[in-house]
Amino acid sequence: MNETIQTILTRRSVRDYQPRQIDDKDMQEILHAGHYAPSAMGQQPWHFTIVQNPDLLENLQTLCKISFQHSDNAALREMVSSEDFNVFYHAPTLVIVSGDSKAIAPLWDSVLAMGNMLLAAQSLGVASCWQHAPITIYGSPNGSASLSSIGLDFPKGFVPYAAAVFGYGVLPLPEAAPRKPDTETFLK
Ligand SMILES: Cc1cc2nc3c(=O)[nH]c(=O)nc-3n(C[C@H](O)[C@H](O)[C@H](O)COP(=O)(O)O)c2cc1C
């Protein structure tokens, strides 16, 4: 198995992080990999917001918790009722990819950029986990204004489509969840 496939197969969503911040050099490499994702007609209609300010992360976490408390999803309400629940699993970095809503396919472009970053992180020994709450909040009534009220703004005309936390995971890292069988159709 080559190193690329090995990286893909060993990436896991990690939900427990050390407080240590990611080395700047590693962060830059991860972002660089994001910029090299494919995009519709090569538009690269993305913007990466890297949140490393602990106060901002804490304020965003508070907004996420409020949103979970009011969710229709019982599992989310249950999760947030636990006092030590941390929406970002104590990860020191959150990356949000926003896309120019006037581009051809900004959602797909942004998600591919995030996919590249999750894999690049894995190759560098940096753990990650997609965290959808900021995206859900943005899409809720007054969501964009709430995010703006804590200092989280996106470029004009850009919509956040993908968010994930990054950091050094607490060992041992989780095992892969079993993958669904019978999900391929070859038409040769
Ligand atoms: C669109 C999307 C949304 C997700 N949202 C969350 C989330 O809000 N919180 C979380 O802990 N994991 C989230 N995940 C991670 C998935 O739960 C995880 O990828 C899945 O359980 C498979 O595990 P693996 O990533 O370790 O292979 C999300 C993944 C995707 C693709």
Side-chain angles (χ1 to χ4, degrees):
M1 190 186 304
N2 72 31
E3 261 184 62
T4 306
I5 305 284
Q6 180 80 11
T7 299
I8 292 169
L9 297 190
T10 52
R11 181 211 53 80
R12 296 275 68 79
S13 290
V14 171
R15 298 189 174 85
D16 195 6
Y17 289 85
Q18 304 171 31
R20 179 163 68 99
Q21 188 52 274
I22 304 170
D23 295 339
D24 285 344
K25 195 174 146 287
D26 284 351
M27 192 70 241
Q28 284 305 329
E29 280 204 70
I30 292 167
L31 295 168
H32 194 61
H35 285 283
Y36 276 77
S39 61
M41 294 197 81
Q43 286 187 322
Q44 304 173 41
W46 43 55
H47 182 84
F48 302 158
T49 302
I50 302 98
V51 185
Q52 294 186 323
N53 178 305
D55 293 336
L56 180 49
L57 280 173
E58 193 52 46
N59 291 337
L60 181 54
Q61 148 138 257
T62 302
L63 285 185
C64 293
K65 281 186 168 174
I66 294 168
S67 140
F68 283 12
Q69 279 158 358
H70 295 98
S71 168
D72 296 339
N73 184 325
L76 286 182
R77 292 199 305 275
E78 164 78 26
M79 223 184 255
V80 79
S81 67
S82 151
E83 231 173 65
D84 55 355
F85 175 67
N86 184 291
V87 177
F88 302 129
Y89 311 114
H90 302 285
T93 293
L94 171 75
V95 177
I96 302 177
V97 183
S98 54
D100 183 344
S101 61
K102 291 207 174 64
I104 300 165
L107 165 71
W108 291 269
D109 299 339
S110 300
V111 169
L112 280 168
M114 182 60 87
N116 268 18
M117 290 194 279
L118 302 180
L119 293 174
Q122 171 66 18
S123 76
L124 294 167
V126 175
S128 64
C129 185
W130 189 296
Q131 178 44 264
H132 212 62
I135 308 302
T136 307
I137 291 179
Y138 184 90
S140 66
N142 299 318
S144 156
S146 322
L147 294 177
S148 184
S149 74
I150 61 164
L152 193 49
D153 290 301
F154 304 98
K156 196 169 162 32
F158 278 56
V159 171
Y161 292 115
V165 293
F166 293 84
Y168 300 105
V170 171
L171 300 175
L173 297 181
E175 295 281 316
R179 263 37 191 176
K180 274 192 186 174
D182 307 324
T183 54
E184 295 164 6
T185 303
F186 278 94
L187 302 170
K188 287 191 177 178

